[in-house]
Amino acid sequence: MLAFGIKDLIDILLVAILMYTLFKIMKASGGTKVFIGIMVFITIWFLVSNVFRLPMTGAIFDNIVKVGILALVVLFQGEIRKFFFNLGSTKLLGFLKRFSSFLQEQDDEEKAQKASAQVVNLVNACRHMSAGKVGALIVIERDDNIQHLIDTGDVFRADINTRLVENIFFKNSPLHDGAMIIRDHEIAAAGCILPVSNNEEIPRHLGLRHRAAMGMSEKYDSLVIIVSEETGNISVAFKGKYMLNLSPEELQRVIMENVHVARQTKNMKTETNTGQNG
């Protein structure tokens, strides 16, 4: 009788974590049935080759697996890229980034105040567009560089001004159908084209703007704001999940808590206040 040791337990846990991670990635991209089919095929292959030991059938399955691996790499290259991106976005690497930024010169108070003002201007624009039922799609870049998506629209640099944002998404504006992208508290481009999510679990009453926002949040580390043209509701897509029907105050809190530069600014203010109090 084979002994079951700690190494076997670790082996089983690692395989379980790997399978669960793959399942989550496939589910987010709408490939759940494909994932289940692959698992069924692997199970049959294991039984034929290792349990029943059928030489001819096993040889056929072995050859299918050799070719199938290459086919899967081509078919799911997007999901594979996302898997390795998530692997590289671990808390350890996040800690190293924060430690590195701590060694750099801190932003001054003037930049902190400007960043806060830009967020308020953006929220006020969303408030006004919500009241007027003007559709809008706004991407706030975080750690991922999305220059290739910025290049799909009209590229320019401008401070986040409430009236400017409203004019970009005005119904007769040539840019209102695309997405506006914000980088480093500045408008980087408008009229940009975003990837659309294929997630089958997105409610059908949500329109194309919501699907584009979800696709963006699934593929890139960005926070996406949606203002519905039909209902005027304000929503956010972030890390593959929706936050629906937010008030302007809730939207401001979400931006301040989750946008990378805003978090740095908030931390800097906390450190400044702590030093003054001490």
Side-chain angles (χ1 to χ4, degrees):
M1 183 176 180
L2 296 176
F4 185 84
I6 187 67
K7 293 176 66 175
D8 300 301
L9 178 61
I10 294 174
D11 191 24
I12 293 173
L13 289 175
L14 289 176
V15 171
I17 292 172
L18 178 62
M19 291 296 101
Y20 177 71
T21 303
L22 290 175
F23 177 75
K24 284 183 63 178
I25 293 174
M26 297 296 290
K27 184 178 180 181
S29 61
T32 307
K33 294 181 180 179
V34 177
F35 177 81
I36 294 174
I38 293 173
M39 291 298 100
V40 171
F41 177 83
I42 291 175
T43 302
I44 295 174
W45 173 49
F46 177 80
L47 292 174
V48 168
S49 298
N50 297 279
V51 178
F52 300 111
R53 298 185 182 278
L54 303 176
M56 293 183 62
T57 309
I60 294 174
F61 272 82
D62 290 343
N63 289 322
I64 293 175
V65 169
K66 291 177 183 178
V67 178
I69 291 176
L70 295 176
L72 289 175
V73 170
V74 175
L75 186 61
F76 297 108
Q77 54 182 325
E79 284 73 14
I80 294 173
R81 178 187 178 278
K82 183 175 181 180
F83 171 76
F84 285 107
F85 168 78
N86 291 336
L87 191 64
S89 300
T90 60
K91 291 183 179 180
L92 175 61
L93 292 182
F95 169 78
L96 293 176
K97 288 180 180 179
R98 290 192 294 270
F99 181 74
S100 176
S101 64
F102 174 77
L103 297 178
Q104 297 174 359
E105 183 180 357
Q106 296 294 319
D107 295 337
D108 54 21
E109 187 63 24
E110 182 180 352
K111 184 175 181 181
Q113 293 176 352
K114 179 181 178 181
S116 298
Q118 300 280 41
V119 172
V120 172
N121 290 342
L122 179 62
V123 171
N124 284 335
C126 292
R127 185 198 305 270
H128 298 160
M129 291 187 292
S130 173
K133 292 186 178 181
V134 176
L137 186 59
I138 302 170
V139 178
I140 304 179
E141 182 187 62
R142 280 172 35 107
D143 289 339
D144 279 1
N145 187 313
I146 53 173
Q147 182 63 46
H148 62 292
L149 295 177
I150 291 175
D151 292 337
T152 64
D154 290 325
V155 180
F156 61 96
R157 291 184 60 184
D159 288 339
I160 303 174
N161 178 281
T162 299
R163 289 189 177 182
L164 175 59
V165 175
E166 292 179 46
N167 285 331
I168 288 174
F169 290 107
F170 182 68
K171 292 182 181 180
N172 293 328
S173 168
L175 300 176
H176 82 281
D177 277 335
M180 185 180 79
I181 297 180
I182 294 174
R183 166 183 285 176
D184 294 334
H185 291 283
E186 290 184 336
I187 300 174
C192 300
I193 300 173
L194 304 185
V196 178
S197 175
N198 295 319
N199 192 338
E200 297 177 357
E201 296 183 2
I202 296 177
R204 293 192 175 184
H205 69 274
L206 298 180
L208 184 59
R209 282 192 181 93
H210 287 80
R211 284 195 167 272
M214 178 58 70
M216 187 70 194
S217 73
E218 288 173 345
K219 292 181 179 296
Y220 303 100
D221 183 27
S222 299
L223 186 144
V224 190
I225 304 169
I226 316 106
V227 180
S228 172
E229 190 171 351
E230 289 74 21
T231 64
N233 291 337
I234 301 173
S235 302
V236 165
F238 184 53
K239 293 185 177 180
K241 294 182 180 180
Y242 285 122
M243 288 175 267
L244 300 173
N245 304 333
L246 300 177
S247 67
E249 292 74 21
E250 290 171 330
L251 174 63
Q252 182 169 340
R253 176 179 56 79
V254 169
I255 294 174
M256 293 301 296
E257 288 180 355
N258 294 294
V259 176
H260 182 66
V261 177
R263 287 204 309 272
Q264 285 185 326
T265 301
K266 186 177 180 181
N267 292 337
M268 185 188 70
K269 286 186 176 181
T270 303
E271 292 172 1
T272 301
N273 293 334
T274 303
Q276 292 174 349
N277 295 334

